[in-house]
Amino acid sequence: MKLLRYGPAGHEKPGCLHADGTVRDLSGVVADISSATLSPQMLSTLTATDVDALPVVADPGRIGPCVGAPGKVLCIGLNYSDHAAETGATPPGQPIIFHKATTAICGPYDDVELPRGSEALDWEVELAIVIGKKAKYVGEAEAMDYVAGFALFNDVSERNYQTKMEGQWTKGKSHDTFGPLGPWLVTKDEMGDPHDLAMWLDVNGERRQTGSTSTLIFNVPTIVSYVSRFMTLMPGDVIPTGTPPGVGMGMKPPVYLKVGDTMALGIEGLGEQKQTVVAA
């Protein structure tokens, strides 16, 4: 099932994408697509719903982030060896975890802000894991039982804030609009194997990133299990899993986004996004 949220920011309604391409209203089934509705029990109810009988949303308007109010956004850094190489970093021996503020989350077609004083705004197409069940000290063999589904994510980054200012990466990852999520959450049963998905990103119509989730250093079960050793994962938590090569930081010389630039990106089975860069 492809779950989505539509409507003005802060007032999104739950919906799903029908096989005929229409958006269907899920308001009569659930209040939102969020932590309260991503448990295995609720997902079973949703996937058993007769989508054909749901009301058609004639004009859904804005598509919002596919998960409402995630409790945590925990990103995995340098999780593709070729991306690590282009940034001059050594591929990690263990998953690198960093936080992205939840206020960075936005819709897949919302504008992305260039922060005031920014000179190094960058792009990163990523596969995001969405947690569906409380997870603590989870083994790799059972880790997929705690996953609700997957979504497309753009881990927008300000590289000077990330690498040249003292402290952790968080300040370069957390500006408003630095986390376009969606357009939909594909439930685990429909997604199948998440480890062989083509992914791409264009800037102003030019291909910048081409990759596949088959080259992840740490796969989905490893990530879920590893992160659950250090903190409890809750339903609705989002874990972007890293990006393939082709980011602006890795170009020689580096190339960064400016006001008016557009990003278009996609992952096989998870839809596409498009954003325009605007001044903050």
Side-chain angles (χ1 to χ4, degrees):
M1 198 172 197
K2 294 182 173 70
L3 301 172
L4 55 83
R5 302 168 70 248
Y6 64 95
H11 300 280
E12 292 93 347
K13 296 180 179 180
C16 64
L17 186 70
H18 192 280
D20 64 8
T22 61
V23 172
R24 301 299 178 102
D25 182 20
L26 279 171
S27 297
V29 184
V30 291
D32 199 358
I33 307 300
S34 62
S35 59
T37 55
L38 292 174
S39 68
Q41 296 78 13
M42 283 303 302
L43 284 180
S44 294
T45 299
L46 286 171
T47 55
T49 301
D50 182 2
V51 177
D52 291 333
L54 294 172
V56 175
V57 182
D59 181 12
R62 171 183 174 271
I63 301 298
C66 59
V67 178
K72 294 189 288 295
V73 182
L74 302 164
C75 301
I76 307 300
L78 302 176
N79 199 22
Y80 290 76
S81 58
D82 37 12
H83 169 58
E86 73 173 346
T87 63
T90 301
Q94 299 182 47
I96 294 172
I97 305 170
F98 63 90
H99 282 270
K100 183 183 282 277
T102 56
T103 49
I105 299 299
C106 65
Y109 312 113
D110 291 346
D111 291 337
V112 165
E113 293 183 356
L114 180 73
R116 297 174 186 177
S118 169
E119 297 179 348
L121 189 66
D122 208 346
W123 55 84
E124 294 189 12
V125 58
E126 304 201 7
L127 169 74
I129 304 164
V130 180
I131 298 298
K133 185 167 66 169
K134 182 178 178 180
K136 183 176 182 178
Y137 294 121
V138 170
E140 289 187 26
E142 60 193 39
M144 290 299 290
D145 295 340
Y146 296 81
V147 174
F150 300 89
L152 172 62
F153 191 80
N154 188 356
D155 180 20
V156 182
S157 308
E158 212 298 340
R159 301 302 190 186
N160 287 343
Y161 298 175
Q162 177 186 352
T163 64
K164 296 182 179 180
M165 292 184 172
E166 294 180 1
Q168 300 177 341
W169 290 0
T170 302
K171 65 180 70 175
K173 297 284 189 172
S174 293
H175 192 274
D176 292 353
T177 72
F178 274 21
L181 177 65
W184 47 71
L185 185 162
V186 179
T187 53
K188 182 176 55 181
D189 62 308
E190 182 167 328
M191 184 78 261
D193 182 10
H195 300 112
D196 190 21
L197 306 175
M199 53 203 309
W200 57 272
L201 184 144
D202 294 345
V203 176
N204 297 329
E206 296 185 8
R207 184 59 45 93
R208 297 298 189 196
Q209 290 186 273
T210 302
S212 169
T213 58
S214 64
T215 61
L216 283 165
I217 297 173
F218 305 107
N219 66 16
V220 172
T222 298
I223 290 168
V224 173
S225 174
Y226 185 85
V227 176
S228 76
R229 291 167 50 188
F230 302 98
M231 66 197 81
T232 299
L233 295 171
M234 298 299 291
D237 286 351
V238 176
I239 309 178
T241 59
T243 198
V247 300
M249 181 184 186
M251 300 179 70
K252 301 188 185 326
V255 174
Y256 293 119
L257 297 162
K258 60 186 183 300
V259 171
D261 286 347
T262 60
M263 293 173 282
L265 56 149
I267 295 180
E268 182 182 357
L270 294 175
E272 299 182 2
Q273 298 184 358
K274 187 172 185 180
Q275 298 102 31
T276 300
V277 179
V278 300

